[in-house]
Amino acid sequence: MAFGIKFQMQLTFASAEEFEAWRRQILIEQRTRLETLPRFSERFDPFDEDLLTDLVIEDASTLEEALGELRSAGHEITEEDIAEWMPAVGDEGHPGIYLRETRKLRRDSRVEALLDHLRVNPAPSLLQVHSMSLHHHGDIVISGAFRDYDTYGEYRLPLILAATAAKESGGAGHVSFHGIDDMEPVALFVDFHREAVEISEPDIQDAAAWNIAGRFAERAAVGCPSHTRSARPPAQGTQEPEPVDHGRTGVE
């Protein structure tokens, strides 16, 4: 089984207080801080499913009916796969059943819930966590790989939201995704400076310019890896030369 899309999250905090503040941040609340980024909505549709997606099966009144609807849509699921369920109201105002799968997080989960999820890894057939180094101050390094593009899609935004929360808590670093699955290339690098967030989607073959080896080194230095177009904001009073557009965008 191929795990062709790798990821790495590297963060650094100046103090234990910043680290603890980061762990308490609610993931989904970070999305509004990213929505001002140019083309963010093109990359991350609010209706895309991920680890934080609420699932309400409208017009179902029992768990059995809800599971039956999912199975008829081709989703292989059993009662053992469900962590919790309850009556709910869907987006259209129709009554239904809310479901949360065992391997999914609650919509209002905090960063610490995502960290626990990665540590336990309830879906090893979909996700590999190669290393996870968490210190109460200083360096945070989490690396692994996804089995396929769909799994990458489930984890991509929650990991980016966690790193966004780090920036809001005083941290800095990056989340990087790179690889190919069934001819579907992935190259997404999100750098979190204390002053700004920078999202880049370069050509997947452009490894040298984007320091791929540095971003995914087993003991890589925490921070925003350098590349030929500086990953750090220019010094105050200077202006960085305008780069060739590789899908790079940033926001203060």
Side-chain angles (χ1 to χ4, degrees):
M1 183 182 297
F3 284 76
I5 302 173
K6 55 188 177 181
F7 74 90
Q8 185 137 299
M9 179 165 70
Q10 299 183 16
L11 303 170
T12 187
F13 299 91
S15 67
E17 289 74 19
E18 287 184 358
F19 176 87
E20 291 301 328
W22 169 61
R23 286 167 51 88
R24 294 192 298 268
Q25 294 265 14
I26 296 176
L27 290 166
I28 198 64
E29 290 181 356
Q30 313 308 314
R31 186 182 179 105
T32 57
R33 298 185 170 103
L34 296 170
E35 287 176 342
T36 56
L37 287 167
R39 300 198 304 274
F40 177 82
S41 60
E42 298 174 13
R43 295 182 176 90
F44 303 99
D45 190 297
F47 297 105
D48 287 346
E49 291 191 12
D50 58 38
L51 288 182
L52 302 173
T53 301
D54 280 332
L55 183 61
V56 177
I57 310 303
E58 293 188 351
D59 299 324
S61 59
T62 66
L63 175 60
E64 291 73 18
E65 289 180 5
L67 294 178
E69 289 288 337
L70 290 173
R71 294 189 193 108
S72 65
H75 188 44
E76 297 182 6
I77 192 168
T78 68
E79 190 169 341
E80 288 71 30
D81 297 320
I82 303 302
E84 61 179 326
W85 67 278
M86 66 185 71
V89 177
D91 293 336
E92 301 296 326
H94 300 298
I97 296 294
Y98 161 82
L99 300 176
R100 182 175 67 84
E101 295 180 61
T102 303
R103 67 181 189 86
K104 298 291 186 74
L105 298 175
R106 291 185 174 91
R107 184 71 171 171
D108 60 351
S109 291
R110 300 178 188 273
V111 169
E112 59 188 352
L114 176 61
L115 298 179
D116 289 342
H117 174 94
L118 293 172
R119 187 180 296 108
V120 174
N121 188 10
S125 63
L126 301 175
L127 167 71
Q128 291 180 343
V129 179
H130 298 152
S131 64
M132 192 168 180
S133 175
L134 302 178
H135 303 286
H136 288 290
H137 63 278
D139 299 349
I140 311 298
V141 180
I142 304 173
S143 65
F146 306 114
R147 185 187 71 178
D148 51 32
Y149 192 89
D150 288 343
T151 308
Y152 155 72
E154 285 192 340
Y155 283 85
R156 174 185 61 172
L157 184 56
L159 285 167
I160 292 173
L161 294 176
T164 304
K167 176 184 177 299
E168 294 304 311
S169 300
H174 75 92
V175 182
S176 300
F177 307 91
H178 186 264
I180 298 178
D181 169 68
D182 293 334
M183 304 306 292
E184 185 75 40
V186 171
L188 176 61
F189 309 133
V190 189
D191 294 316
F192 296 85
H193 314 284
R194 295 187 188 278
E195 301 85 0
V197 178
E198 183 180 24
I199 296 182
S200 306
E201 289 184 297
D203 189 298
I204 193 171
Q205 304 300 329
D206 198 10
W210 287 87
N211 190 16
I212 301 301
R215 285 179 179 272
F216 294 94
E218 187 173 347
R219 295 182 179 275
V222 173
C224 302
S226 60
H227 47 73
T228 53
R229 302 188 308 284
S230 171
R232 299 183 180 279
Q236 187 173 1
T238 67
Q239 184 173 359
E240 187 180 32
E242 185 67 23
V244 177
D245 183 10
H246 285 283
R248 172 175 177 267
T249 182
V251 63
E252 294 297 322

